[in-house]
Amino acid sequence: MVKDAQKKIFQDYLEEHMHVSLNFKWQDFMYFQYIGCRDELGAAAYIAGAKYAAKISDEDLQVLVEYPTAIKKRKFVFHGASRAVQMLAKCYGGFISLELYWLLYNAPQYAGYPFGFAPKIYSVDNIEAREICEQVLHVLD
């Protein structure tokens, strides 16, 4: 379990460097929303930097960040336990990076099934962040 002081260091670092705001937290899960204009420069790398600064293991804190990418469009970046990353990729498609990052944005992965194995999800905009949070927490219980 991550200590509250570590979470505070992590949150402060992430909010300052990534221009995000904490929207929801529960146990060792934090959900942030990007409050800048849009992310084009790969700011998600700051998540790992914030964990390092707070002395938190990469898999011990689950972090979801929601970014606007254009008007009324968004993407999700998750950093945390590799089994949660694998589960999210199976449910929604998207991309896995360094076994700890999961990225999902409006880019088709497979013809006919642009987002994983959920044929009714044709846009990232149809996915609720709260559902992702609940799925990750369930898989890690």
Side-chain angles (χ1 to χ4, degrees), residues 59-130:
E59 295 205 20
D60 285 346
L61 184 64
Q62 313 310 309
V63 181
L64 179 68
V65 179
E66 179 182 343
Y67 296 92
T69 55
I71 297 172
K72 296 186 179 180
K73 298 293 176 195
R74 62 188 174 150
K75 77 175 184 179
F76 289 110
V77 174
F78 174 83
H79 186 274
S82 58
R83 68 181 188 262
V85 169
Q86 295 291 328
M87 179 273 303
L88 290 170
K90 286 179 182 175
C91 286
Y92 298 109
F95 306 93
I96 296 175
S97 177
L98 303 173
E99 295 184 18
L100 298 171
Y101 280 101
W102 169 73
L103 301 103
L104 181 68
Y105 51 94
N106 284 325
Q109 189 175 22
Y110 303 109
Y113 295 95
F115 296 100
F117 300 103
K120 293 183 180 180
I121 300 174
Y122 288 103
S123 170
V124 172
D125 304 319
N126 294 338
I127 301 169
E128 293 296 324
R130 186 74 73 173

Side-chain angles (χ1 to χ4, degrees), residues 4-18:
D4 287 339
Q6 290 174 293
K7 288 180 188 175
K8 178 72 172 133
I9 292 168
F10 173 84
Q11 180 180 343
D12 290 346
Y13 184 101
L14 209 62
E15 288 180 342
E16 178 184 344
H17 290 88
M18 262 181 99

Side-chain angles (χ1 to χ4, degrees), residues 18-91:
M18 262 181 99
H19 307 290
V20 296
S21 177
L22 182 65
N23 184 299
F24 167 81
K25 71 177 178 178
W26 191 75
Q27 293 181 357
D28 287 337
F29 191 103
M30 300 177 100
Y31 162 55
F32 293 87
Q33 286 184 306
Y34 189 70
I35 57 174
C37 293
R38 59 185 177 186
D39 170 54
E40 293 178 342
L41 303 174
Y46 282 116
I47 298 171
K51 286 183 178 181
Y52 179 80
K55 297 180 176 141
I56 298 171
S57 169
D58 284 333
E59 295 205 20
D60 285 346
L61 184 64
Q62 313 310 309
V63 181
L64 179 68
V65 179
E66 179 182 343
Y67 296 92
T69 55
I71 297 172
K72 296 186 179 180
K73 298 293 176 195
R74 62 188 174 150
K75 77 175 184 179
F76 289 110
V77 174
F78 174 83
H79 186 274
S82 58
R83 68 181 188 262
V85 169
Q86 295 291 328
M87 179 273 303
L88 290 170
K90 286 179 182 175
C91 286

